[in-house]
Amino acid sequence: MASQQQQQQPGGSMAQAGLQQPTLQQLSQLQDFDPVHRFKTLIPQLKESLQNVMKIASLNLAHNTSIDNGIKSSDASVQRFDKSLEEFYALCDQLELCLV
């Protein structure tokens, strides 16, 4: 009996060693595929992108208004609204994929 218990103990410790906790890299890979985690990480990016879209739209509107009123010439460069809007829509598409 005692010899059987001694033989089972090394096997038992080997089985426990095989069931180690996942490493940090494995956890990050699992979180990348988890739609809920991905959704939660995309929301702050979406918020920032929306703020950027609104800021650029405001600057462009102010710039165009000043040109229309004859205060400024059109030489000054402004940020591209379409690129910031495209970035916002790309994040929306990523969020939609998380929800499907």
Side-chain angles (χ1 to χ4, degrees):
M1 275 302 263
S3 64
Q4 286 179 345
Q5 288 176 349
Q6 289 175 352
Q7 290 174 355
Q8 289 177 353
Q9 285 177 347
S13 65
M14 292 286 274
Q16 290 174 353
L19 297 174
Q20 294 176 353
Q21 296 292 327
T23 63
L24 194 57
Q25 182 182 10
Q26 290 171 339
L27 283 175
S28 67
Q29 288 174 350
L30 288 174
Q31 290 174 346
D32 288 343
F33 295 116
D34 182 25
V36 174
H37 177 70
R38 181 83 174 130
F39 183 83
K40 287 180 180 180
T41 57
L42 285 174
I43 290 296
Q45 293 176 15
L46 185 70
K47 180 181 175 184
E48 182 180 332
S49 178
L50 180 60
Q51 289 173 346
N52 191 35
V53 166
M54 293 298 153
K55 182 182 81 170
I56 291 173
S58 171
L59 292 173
N60 282 345
L61 182 63
H63 180 75
N64 289 340
T65 301
S66 65
I67 290 173
D68 289 344
N69 291 334
I71 299 170
K72 286 186 182 178
S73 65
S74 62
D75 293 341
S77 65
V78 290
Q79 291 182 324
R80 300 264 318 250
F81 176 74
D82 57 343
K83 288 190 178 197
S84 62
L85 190 62
E86 186 65 34
E87 178 187 333
F88 176 75
Y89 280 136
L91 285 169
C92 289
D93 290 341
Q94 290 179 24
L95 281 171
E96 183 182 8
L97 289 175
C98 290
L99 297 174
V100 175

